[in-house]
Amino acid sequence: MVAIETQDSNYIFKIKGLHKIWALKSEIIVPKDNIVRAYQDQEELHKFCGFRVGTYVPFVIIAGTYFLKGKKNFWDMTREKNTIIVELKNQYYNKLYIEVENPENALSLLNQN
């Protein structure tokens, strides 16, 4: 699971608990201006993730950096219904697929720009 915090002109995506180990990362910092949009799309979550550096256990967890069609995406997901997709520009990752505690609040926060 990921907690989203704001600090100055950045969003800080903090990976919580054992997910840090599975994802091989503890946080991602993104300038607010580099968020294109945040949304939910169940169909997109069922597509091929790509090749990974991290953890993949079918129907249990997807976590880490995934490479697909020349782009890098970050995944940290165990429950699809709480997963949001954050599209980025000018960042190391193209998209973040992250499970959050309250998707509605997270989407509202990220889309307020």
Side-chain angles (χ1 to χ4, degrees):
M1 178 152 329
V2 176
I4 304 170
E5 298 177 4
T6 59
Q7 184 180 69
D8 301 322
S9 61
N10 296 317
Y11 288 114
I12 302 171
F13 298 88
K14 292 194 171 210
I15 294 88
K16 297 168 73 175
L18 289 175
H19 289 244
K20 290 179 191 179
I21 295 168
W22 297 325
L24 304 174
K25 190 165 280 298
S26 61
E27 69 179 22
I28 299 169
I29 299 172
V30 177
K32 291 180 179 179
D33 291 341
N34 289 358
I35 303 280
V36 175
R37 68 183 176 130
Y39 60 97
Q40 284 188 301
D41 183 344
Q42 295 299 313
E43 285 185 32
E44 191 170 337
L45 298 178
H46 291 112
K47 293 182 180 176
F48 177 62
C49 302
F51 300 98
R52 71 185 174 277
V53 176
T55 304
Y56 178 77
V57 179
F59 308 108
V60 178
I61 188 169
I62 301 171
T65 300
Y66 285 73
F67 301 87
L68 182 64
K69 297 180 183 175
K71 296 182 180 178
K72 295 178 198 123
N73 299 309
F74 178 79
W75 287 74
D76 185 17
M77 178 182 86
T78 57
R79 292 179 294 189
E80 290 178 10
K81 71 176 187 160
N82 286 359
T83 300
I84 64 170
I85 303 164
V86 183
E87 189 175 338
L88 307 172
K89 65 179 180 182
N90 303 321
Q91 289 296 121
Y92 180 76
Y93 293 112
N94 182 57
K95 291 183 181 177
L96 308 177
Y97 296 82
I98 55 174
E99 179 186 344
V100 295
E101 189 171 332
N102 187 322
E104 294 79 22
N105 289 349
L107 292 172
S108 177
L109 174 68
L110 295 170
N111 286 319
Q112 68 186 359
N113 295 344

